[in-house]
Amino acid sequence: MKFAIIIPFYNAEKRLEISVESIIKQSYGFTENVQVLLVNDGSTDKSGDIADTLVRKYPQNIYQIHIKNGGPARARNIGLMHVRNDIDFVGFLDADDVYSLHMIREMAHFAEKHAEINMMVPPFYYVDDLGTRKKIGAHKLNTRFEQGSRVVNIQEEYRAIHFYIGGTFLRFERLKKLAFDESLHFGEDQLLITKLLLDDEAYGVVADVGYFYYRDMKNKSSLVNKSWQSKSRYEAFLQSVYQSYLDVSKAKFGSVIPYVQYLISYHAKLYFYKENVYFREVLTEQEQEEFVTAFQQIFSEIEEKYVWELDTAQPVKEMMLSLRKNGWPVRFETSSIADVPIVALHKKWRGNGHAELICDIEESRVDLPENSFFAAKTLFSTKKSNSGEAF
């Protein structure tokens, strides 16, 4: 089985070689089975030279394609035009991320067992250390892999959503009928993936491997962060992406299926996170009203239960439902952050049957308010702890 890996890059000199090396060092036989397409999206740094060096070293496997800067959707589409005809699956790797050692081998084994599957995905991890792959966090959606490698039916497991291209492998024959929407500069990957999944209704999850996503906690200039400063990230995005999900679901199934309702709820919560503070800075009052109206229209087709099921802070869920019900005008701050910290509570079972409760307080808080305390209530008792003390 043969694979093509598409890597669009723009000014990626710090990590491009690390990313490509994670493919070259795969345990599946790089020279015999893998094609790497490096799509240079108008880089102005030394990343193009780094790509040339890799091409000279592996001229039969690695190719660099030079294009004018046009965004990730266009770069991926052009990459697809250069995939060899003998390729079975196309994988996508961002220029600062890496694959685990056995990624392609395990994808090949899974594809051989499940010939009906057109999409496969691995677990997703965040790293911050320039390639040594020190895990700093697992993606919340990694719960899909707890049962091992398997086929997920989205009608039966509506919470097993997938919407990001990094680490995703798609059957090349299937991809020939699809394209990334080049009018979108973010969300183009989830739009393609969701349309494919609503058509196929199933995909593969491949455990025991990993896609390691480099998250630069200090650099706020990434495409993801910049997207919140663009007007098109608001009302236009809701219409182009979320409304498209609703339309496709209703056209095929006659209703908005639970998978789509949960997917939109899960993704829309990002608008209400504290770090996305650009709402009022980017949009005029009229544009704010248009965004809220579009949000209301979309969420009128989503049941409240799917918002309540989200694994996110309570104030975020309450704000989403308040906006859904009450509309405009809306205040995006429920209360002063100095008075009400956001708290997330996790439960971890120990081998002896006891549960460990882990309480995370928002990172911007150093100390709890004076005289504050935590209380844990069980069926048997209630225990109280003051700030800094254990139960």
Side-chain angles (χ1 to χ4, degrees), residues 212-385:
F212 297 89
Y213 170 84
Y214 174 62
R215 181 167 57 174
D216 189 341
M217 304 302 290
K218 295 181 180 179
N219 181 10
K220 300 300 181 182
S221 63
S222 71
L223 282 176
V224 174
N225 288 307
K226 283 185 175 180
S227 73
W228 297 104
Q229 302 173 49
S230 170
K231 290 181 183 292
S232 58
R233 186 64 176 85
Y234 297 90
E235 190 266 344
F237 180 86
L238 299 186
Q239 300 293 352
S240 299
V241 180
Y242 296 168
Q243 187 62 49
S244 177
Y245 299 165
L246 299 176
D247 294 341
V248 173
S249 180
K250 287 187 284 188
K252 179 175 182 181
F253 304 104
S255 64
V256 182
I257 61 173
Y259 179 89
V260 170
Q261 295 192 51
Y262 188 76
L263 170 63
I264 292 176
S265 301
Y266 184 96
H267 194 268
K269 72 181 187 294
L270 298 175
Y271 284 103
F272 304 92
Y273 280 8
K274 298 192 312 306
E275 57 265 32
N276 300 332
V277 296
Y278 303 107
F279 180 77
R280 288 199 177 97
E281 296 178 13
V282 172
L283 304 181
T284 65
E285 289 189 6
Q286 178 63 32
E287 290 167 339
Q288 293 175 40
E289 184 171 356
E290 291 170 354
F291 167 74
V292 172
T293 299
F295 184 95
Q296 268 195 298
Q297 291 174 343
I298 288 169
F299 269 78
S300 68
E301 303 197 54
I302 295 175
E303 298 176 41
E304 289 188 7
K305 61 170 287 188
Y306 298 107
V307 176
W308 287 122
E309 288 180 7
L310 296 174
D311 180 15
T312 193
Q314 185 77 4
V316 171
K317 292 185 279 191
E318 291 178 352
M319 182 59 71
M320 292 174 69
L321 292 174
S322 174
L323 193 61
R324 174 184 183 272
K325 179 179 180 181
N326 302 319
W328 187 262
V330 64
R331 290 184 59 84
F332 273 67
E333 309 85 49
T334 55
S335 60
S336 171
I337 196 171
D339 298 326
V340 183
I342 293 178
V343 176
L345 189 64
H346 310 277
K347 178 172 64 177
K348 181 178 181 181
W349 289 101
R350 295 177 177 173
N352 60 6
H354 293 169
E356 178 182 2
L357 295 178
I358 303 170
C359 186
D360 297 326
I361 305 174
E362 61 180 290
E363 69 280 357
S364 61
R365 292 302 301 262
V366 177
D367 298 308
L368 289 174
E370 186 178 357
N371 299 323
S372 62
F373 64 89
F374 291 108
K377 182 178 181 179
T378 70
L379 292 174
F380 309 103
S381 65
T382 298
K383 291 188 176 181
K384 174 181 175 182
S385 171

Side-chain angles (χ1 to χ4, degrees), residues 142-170:
N142 282 2
T143 54
R144 294 173 288 172
F145 303 90
E146 292 175 352
Q147 300 175 47
S149 298
R150 61 197 179 91
V151 174
V152 170
N153 184 304
I154 66 171
Q155 293 276 38
E156 298 172 357
E157 299 182 58
Y158 68 83
R159 296 177 69 173
I161 58 175
H162 185 73
F163 56 85
Y164 46 82
I165 198 67
T168 301
F169 286 78
L170 298 169

